[in-house]
Amino acid sequence: MNKKSYENFFINFANKTRLGIILCLKEKKMNVGEIVKKVGEEQSKVSHNLKQLSDCHIVNVEKNGKERIYSLNKKTVLPLLRLVEKHVKCNCSEKCKFCQKVYVI
Amino acid sequence: MNKKSYENFFINFANKTRLGIILCLKEKKMNVGEIVKKVGEEQSKVSHNLKQLSDCHIVNVEKNGKERIYSLNKKTVLPLLRLVEKHVKCNCSEKCKFCQKVYVI
DNA sequence: AACACATATGAATTATATTTCATATGAATA
DNA sequence: TATTCATATGAAATATAATTCATATGTGTT
């Protein structure tokens, strides 16, 4: 796999709005309206970001009448998030002058 | 852990230059000059990006005289990259009209 | 001490990504 | 079929990140 592919994958997780959506879908699948309510962001903003996430298969969509139900690709995302948590736990201490800026420990 | 921490972690991998550095350090530890040569980017650009990576403990630094030797945090990075490769293999087919744009399969 | 080499850094510039706003689409319903 | 509801979409505006350039710092050497 090449650089650009990795980049395109990680971009999904390098943004506040999309992370909000991702973390909110950890609990359960939701339609757009529910996500909008939960994350407290504008509908079109959420839709734009959902599109990006689903293009990359980070989330999946199913239609139900006029609503669309989004669910998290847990097989990829859960281990990914766990890896990050482990990273912070293992590498980042309060003593490090950057860790406090970078990660909320 | 909170949204911002995840974001700060993933930002390291969501950029061409930093990914170039990361992939190049998979092979072996290198000083800045060697990295610059290998990735073919400007020295100050590489340094700025190395700083970001090391602030987040994605790479580690050791001093040796006037040179600084950077090495990859393989414990975090190798499983992370493997996860992405698996994701693409499992979810992204040539049939999908976005996969070709998003990932080079 | 003066110099050269390796690397880092700050600030301005430039590039890129994200959001916003207005509007379109498509499904259900009166 | 006109209307409403849920969601998507394009393009302009804005925000954010990355690069560049000039220069600083630190270490070893003459």
Side-chain angles (χ1 to χ4, degrees), chain A residues 5-6 8 76 85 87 102 104, chain B residues 5-6 8 76 85 87 102:
Chain A
S5 299
Y6 289 115
N8 286 340
T76 293
E85 285 150 31
H87 172 84
V102 173
V104 176
Chain B
S5 299
Y6 288 114
N8 286 340
T76 294
E85 285 150 32
H87 172 83
V102 173

Side-chain angles (χ1 to χ4, degrees), chain B residues 32-73:
Chain B
V32 179
E34 293 174 303
I35 299 171
V36 165
K37 204 170 175 185
K38 186 92 192 290
V39 300
E41 309 268 9
E42 282 209 82
Q43 180 267 316
S44 74
K45 185 174 172 179
V46 170
S47 277
H48 277 296
N49 281 291
L50 279 170
K51 171 151 183 24
Q52 200 162 328
L53 290 169
S54 68
D55 283 356
C56 295
H57 303 275
I58 308 301
V59 300
N60 295 115
V61 211
E62 38 180 324
K63 281 188 173 184
N64 178 27
K66 55 188 170 188
E67 65 182 354
R68 298 204 188 170
I69 294 159
Y70 285 89
S71 59
L72 194 62
N73 180 342

Side-chain angles (χ1 to χ4, degrees), chain B residues 12-48:
Chain B
N12 292 291
F13 300 89
N15 166 280
K16 212 165 72 86
T17 308
R18 286 189 293 275
L19 271 170
I21 293 170
I22 287 166
L23 296 178
C24 132
L25 288 175
K26 269 179 82 175
E27 293 174 34
K28 61 177 173 76
K29 53 170 69 177
M30 292 182 191
N31 65 34
V32 179
E34 293 174 303
I35 299 171
V36 165
K37 204 170 175 185
K38 186 92 192 290
V39 300
E41 309 268 9
E42 282 209 82
Q43 180 267 316
S44 74
K45 185 174 172 179
V46 170
S47 277
H48 277 296

Side-chain angles (χ1 to χ4, degrees), chain A residues 38-82:
Chain A
K38 185 93 190 290
V39 301
E41 310 267 9
E42 282 209 82
Q43 181 267 315
S44 75
K45 185 174 171 177
V46 170
S47 276
H48 277 297
N49 282 291
L50 279 170
K51 171 151 183 22
Q52 199 161 328
L53 289 169
S54 69
D55 283 357
C56 294
H57 302 275
I58 308 301
V59 302
N60 295 114
V61 210
E62 36 181 323
K63 281 188 172 183
N64 179 27
K66 56 188 171 190
E67 66 182 356
R68 299 203 187 173
I69 295 160
Y70 286 88
S71 59
L72 194 62
N73 179 344
K74 292 195 180 178
K75 206 164 176 180
T76 293
V77 177
L78 295 186
L80 194 72
L81 298 182
R82 264 187 255 119

